[in-house]
Amino acid sequence: MPWTDSERREHFSETLLKMKTVFEENPAAAVRSQNFIQTFHKFVADDVTSHLTPQAKKQNIRVVQEAKIFGSFKSKDVDVAVIHPTNGPLLLIGVRSQMSSVGKNVLTYYQDIIGEAISLQERFPMCATGYAYLHPLQVVPWQRKDGTWTNAESPDHSRFARMYAGIGSRDDRLYKHQLGSYDHFAYSVVDFQAAEPQLHDEIVHQAVPDLDMSILSFVPRLVDTFNNRNLWVQDIFEEPVQG
């Protein structure tokens, strides 16, 4: 059964606490081994899995992490994918975090994110596609493997929110012809310095008041888009629930 809003919030709070623990134990190892981001992957994958119907599971429709998907130019390890055994990808989600060098690398990653959408949407235009991105509220210096230190930063979250909003609202009437924009985008700003990490959706909402970019509504929005796009399919995803 799909998570309720309160269950999703509880699961995400637990996820952030695990991410904080993993990162603080050894920041360099957490990033290098991907243990940090894989915790975020699992939260998204578990949310999607909760929406699968019993009929979908009987059909061997699976939620796969790090699924190797053939794009239009090369294969891509998609972070979270829903795969039908005969019809292929149904839902594709990218997941990323940056805990250092945010200002230095964000534009390069932005270009990569757009390119990934184009490659996948050219090959699978009917897929519901989404991207979940996480930044810390403040970047605190930590020591790299080579002994050097990262720089302290105060990322421009408002600017980044507007950038991601520009590629986070694919027009559902023209989606077969619109490439490079995701059906839904989640941009999370998290204070990892708090004893219990805090999600600051208000920062994103203030920058982009007309678009929902919360991770807490991300998977339900994708499920709604898939169901609306495929009205003749009624046995794969259960509708999101409130409460």
Side-chain angles (χ1 to χ4, degrees), residues 177-195:
H177 309 286
Q178 185 179 5
L179 304 177
S181 181
Y182 291 85
D183 291 299
H184 297 286
F185 206 107
Y187 179 44
S188 302
V189 178
V190 177
D191 181 5
F192 284 105
Q193 304 312 305

Side-chain angles (χ1 to χ4, degrees), residues 115-135:
E116 181 179 324
I118 292 171
S119 178
L120 295 173
Q121 289 166 351
E122 281 186 335
R123 187 165 171 82
F124 304 105
M126 292 188 68
C127 270
T129 56
Y131 210 96
Y133 211 135
L134 182 147
H135 279 157

